[in-house]
Amino acid sequence: MYTIGLTGGIASGKSTVAALLRAFGAHVIDADAISRALTATGGVALPIIRAHFGAEVFEGNALNRRALAAQIFADEEARLALDAIMFPLVYADMFEQVCALVVRGEKLVVLEVPLLFESGFDAQVDEIWLTVLPRDEQLRRLMARNQLTEAEAVARIDSQWPIERKERRARQRFDTAQPIDRVAEQVRAAWQHAKRKAESPNASPP
């Protein structure tokens, strides 16, 4: 199985690129979707989060995501503690999904992982694709999408690796400030190239 890690800064267009890849026939496994399921009401991560962070980040049996975010983006130790809870659960689920694709005979998968580098999961993929956006536009989009103040949005952006550090380790780079048709052309070309590599006898095993 040949694996592509799709990543980028928060609000930098990963979902747009992932949607294009799905339209081109890619199997995309979304780490954020897995995380949301794990932390939905009844999710397996909730008892662990409650034990560590307390009842103040819950409303009844439901996770108060905004209250939890306020804690973790104000306190690096709290953020790292949450990462230590969530990363193993998310990646175990991703591995199960990849194995299911292998059983079906699939040879190529895209893993959409926002914290690919920060979690160390970049070592588990064959190549890395990165979405990039000028910081001012990233900030504007994040504030609008998540209804955040500028300070809240800056804290979220700064909690991740600087984009320049990620660019040094990425094979493909998609500037999502471009018109969508131009982004689509680049994604299609990268996808076609990846499919050819996945068919190679030297493609990585799962």
Side-chain angles (χ1 to χ4, degrees):
M1 173 70 79
Y2 196 82
T3 55
I4 295 166
L6 172 62
T7 193
I10 188 171
S12 66
K14 292 182 297 298
S15 295
T16 297
V17 171
L20 289 167
L21 285 165
R22 289 188 179 96
F24 299 148
H27 296 285
V28 181
I29 300 174
D30 181 356
D32 266 354
I34 296 170
S35 179
R36 287 192 295 271
L38 290 168
T39 54
T41 301
V44 300
L46 294 190
I48 311 171
I49 293 172
R50 186 185 289 272
H52 187 89
F53 291 94
E56 59 267 28
V57 299
F58 283 80
E59 293 180 346
N61 293 324
L63 182 65
N64 184 330
R65 297 178 188 275
R66 197 166 188 93
L68 181 60
Q71 281 200 30
I72 67 171
F73 291 113
D75 181 347
E76 184 177 8
E77 287 189 7
R79 180 172 56 81
L80 293 174
L82 182 64
D83 289 347
I85 292 168
M86 295 303 301
F87 286 163
L89 296 173
V90 170
Y91 294 136
D93 191 302
M94 291 181 73
F95 183 73
E96 287 183 8
Q97 293 190 50
V98 170
C99 288
L101 290 173
V102 171
V103 169
R104 287 166 44 184
E106 303 293 343
K107 296 184 177 180
L108 177 59
V109 66
V110 177
L111 307 177
E112 183 185 353
V113 186
L115 299 178
L116 185 79
F117 294 107
E118 293 85 348
S119 66
F121 199 71
D122 55 306
Q124 305 301 317
V125 298
D126 293 297
E127 65 178 81
I128 297 165
W129 293 2
L130 181 70
T131 58
V132 299
L133 197 63
R135 184 181 171 97
D136 57 348
E137 177 62 12
Q138 181 187 15
L139 183 62
R140 186 193 67 78
R141 290 187 188 183
L142 180 57
M143 291 171 64
R145 187 189 74 183
N146 290 31
Q147 299 297 296
L148 300 175
T149 66
E150 182 173 350
E152 289 171 332
V154 167
R156 283 157 174 74
I157 292 171
D158 288 347
S159 72
Q160 299 182 349
W161 279 23
I163 194 64
E164 297 79 11
R165 186 179 179 189
K166 295 179 179 180
E167 285 185 298
R168 291 195 292 268
R169 300 173 66 171
R171 182 169 295 175
Q172 293 285 343
R173 176 184 181 279
F174 304 110
D175 180 357
T176 57
Q178 298 181 100
I180 188 62
D181 57 343
R182 177 60 179 152
V183 176
E185 288 176 8
Q186 294 178 337
V187 173
R188 185 192 295 274
W191 175 243
Q192 293 297 332
H193 184 62
K195 286 201 296 183
R196 290 192 292 271
K197 283 193 287 188
E199 295 294 331
S200 164
N202 296 321
S204 300

